[in-house]
């Protein structure tokens, strides 16, 4: 899988508020699947699906010890997504500035 595909998986995973909340919970350290599921009123299979998406994107690592399933945050994919956004931020700001100037120019011509 190339870097762009990995980035797509990260952004797809981050697009869902439940998954973002799970990642926020993991900032404080590893958590069991039960602890991650606790604040949500959704089924265990739905929780499992969310965790699979996060794992596929490389955002979490799941380990099993006896009957406990523990999830740990992996920040490398988030760093890659942040780097991608930062590389494009200047270009986006430049385009917004151009649009702003064009809109002001158009407004000036309609006021005359």
């Amino acid at each position: 899988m190339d870097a762009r595909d990995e980035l797509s998986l990260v952004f797809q995973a981050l697009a869902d508020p439940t998954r973002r909340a799970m990642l926020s919970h993991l900032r404080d350290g590893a958590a069991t699947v039960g602890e991650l599921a606790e604040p949500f009123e959704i089924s265990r299979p739905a929780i499992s699906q969310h965790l699979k998406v996060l794992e596929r994107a490389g955002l979490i690592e799941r380990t099993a010890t006896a009957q406990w399933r523990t999830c740990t945050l992996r920040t490398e994919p988030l760093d890659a997504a942040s780097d991608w956004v930062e590389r494009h931020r200047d270009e986006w700001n430049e385009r917004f500035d151009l649009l702003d100037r064009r809109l002001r120019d158009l407004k000036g011509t309609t006021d005359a």
Side-chain angles (χ1 to χ4, degrees), residues 54-112:
L54 291 170
E55 190 172 33
R56 194 174 324 119
L59 293 166
I60 65 167
E61 184 176 330
R62 291 199 276 183
T63 56
T65 307
Q67 74 273 22
W68 304 108
R69 304 287 183 261
T70 304
C71 298
T72 306
L73 178 65
R74 293 190 62 238
T75 60
E76 298 87 355
L78 293 172
D79 294 338
S82 179
D83 290 346
W84 185 89
V85 168
E86 285 305 312
R87 280 194 312 273
H88 292 84
R89 184 182 305 275
D90 288 338
E91 180 183 342
W92 296 332
N93 285 335
E94 192 175 300
R95 288 183 182 187
F96 284 129
D97 290 344
L98 287 170
L99 177 61
D100 187 48
R101 281 193 296 262
R102 179 67 178 139
L103 291 173
R104 276 189 268 126
D105 289 347
L106 287 173
K107 185 176 181 190
T109 58
T110 59
D111 289 342

Side-chain angles (χ1 to χ4, degrees), residues 36-50:
L36 288 174
E38 187 178 318
F40 306 105
E41 294 184 18
I42 57 177
S43 68
R44 288 290 181 155
I47 292 293
S48 180
Q49 284 300 107
H50 282 298

